[in-house]
Amino acid sequence: ETGVTQTPRHLVMGMTNKKSLKCEQHLGHNAMYWYKQSAKKPLELMFVYNFKEQTENNSVPSRFSPECPNSSHLFLHLHTLQPEDSALYLCASSQDRADPGRAGELFFGEGSRLTVL
Amino acid sequence: TQLLEQSPQFLSIQEGENLTVYCNSSSVFSSLQWYRQEPGEGPVLLVTVVTGGEVKKLKRLTFQFGDARKDSSLHITAAQPGDTGLYLCAVTQGGSEKLVFGKGTKLTVNP
């Protein structure tokens, strides 16, 4: 138990569906992240939120729409996805860091395994 | 071109053997982290190294950061089935706090 909970754990959707992934952290952290993990590729950073404000959008297609209503919750809204979007989507959180250029510890959830048919 | 090269990509060994996995680059890093991701789970941080030449030990795991801060190694002594997982290195560069991950080494320790 890392203190970061993701739901659902598994999701199968068609290309015309709209679905959402949810992430909740119980660690009191101020930063939350969405990562995409595909086979044979490195973990790809998608979005970063600090104090509910989006600070990073790593050129993610608009069919992925993040929402961060507060520092404890993060959503990823999905619509008109493509089969190549099938992957494990990982949410993570971290504390604010006092030292620029030094990454703090990321606490990851267990991930949501997405399959797009 | 990948910023980080992790090797080997796959490693399958017997319980009790020793092993070393590597994380290499031509770039200099401010800090480097190692994570382990077990099947069906998210990655979990093992260690952070920030000083060139630094060596850190975590039970049977020994982590080394290269003198030039361009590479790192993870050595496991007397591997156990519980060590099975994907070992990921991640780095920050310059003044950025953004973590960049390697593809990982998938380790299987057979009983």
Side-chain angles (χ1 to χ4, degrees):
Chain A
E1 177 58 52
T2 62
V4 180
T5 304
Q6 290 189 243
T7 55
R9 292 292 308 277
H10 299 274
L11 178 63
V12 179
M13 59 188 288
M15 289 191 285
T16 58
N17 290 160
K18 286 186 180 181
K19 297 286 184 183
S20 295
L21 306 181
K22 179 183 175 183
C23 177
E24 183 175 0
Q25 58 99 356
H26 311 277
L27 301 168
H29 290 165
N30 297 315
M32 295 189 77
Y33 311 75
W34 279 116
Y35 279 87
K36 176 183 179 182
Q37 189 173 35
S38 307
K40 302 181 181 179
K41 286 187 176 181
L43 269 171
E44 298 173 67
L45 178 64
M46 300 175 72
F47 302 103
V48 182
Y49 279 81
N50 269 298
F51 293 96
K52 305 187 300 177
E53 298 298 319
Q54 188 180 118
T55 57
E56 182 102 23
N57 178 337
N58 209 20
S59 303
V60 180
S62 59
R63 57 186 184 269
F64 295 92
S65 175
E67 179 189 359
C68 188
N70 55 61
S71 294
S72 299
H73 293 85
L74 185 64
F75 296 89
L76 188 62
H77 303 300
L78 316 169
H79 61 98
T80 59
L81 294 191
Q82 305 298 312
E84 59 265 28
D85 296 322
S86 298
L88 182 68
Y89 289 85
L90 288 161
C91 173
S93 70
S94 69
Q95 274 284 22
D96 279 342
R97 293 180 293 282
D99 298 327
R102 292 196 175 177
E105 177 177 1
L106 288 181
F107 290 77
F108 285 89
E110 294 174 320
S112 293
R113 172 71 62 186
L114 173 66
T115 303
V116 182
L117 302 177
Chain B
T1 302
Q2 292 293 325
L3 176 66
L4 294 173
E5 294 291 336
Q6 288 194 245
S7 61
Q9 191 174 353
F10 299 96
L11 185 58
S12 181
I13 62 170
Q14 293 301 121
E15 183 175 0
E17 293 183 5
N18 301 332
L19 66 113
T20 303
V21 297
Y22 301 91
C23 177
N24 296 307
S25 177
S26 56
S27 301
V28 177
F29 305 122
S30 306
S31 67
L32 186 147
Q33 297 181 333
W34 283 96
Y35 287 80
R36 178 171 64 213
Q37 184 176 17
E38 297 182 15
E41 306 286 331
V44 175
L45 180 68
L46 296 174
V47 76
T48 300
V49 287
V50 297
T51 305
E54 185 175 2
V55 176
K56 284 192 174 180
K57 292 195 175 185
L58 185 67
K59 295 183 180 177
R60 295 176 293 101
L61 278 59
T62 302
F63 304 86
Q64 183 158 11
F65 200 15
D67 290 340
R69 306 207 319 275
K70 294 182 179 181
D71 52 74
S72 180
S73 63
L74 159 58
H75 181 79
I76 301 179
T77 304
Q80 299 176 1
D83 296 327
T84 292
L86 179 68
Y87 288 80
L88 297 162
C89 67
V91 298
T92 56
Q93 283 186 292
S96 172
E97 299 169 337
K98 181 175 158 182
L99 267 180
V100 176
F101 283 84
K103 291 184 181 181
T105 293
K106 188 170 183 181
L107 171 66
T108 302
V109 182
N110 302 299

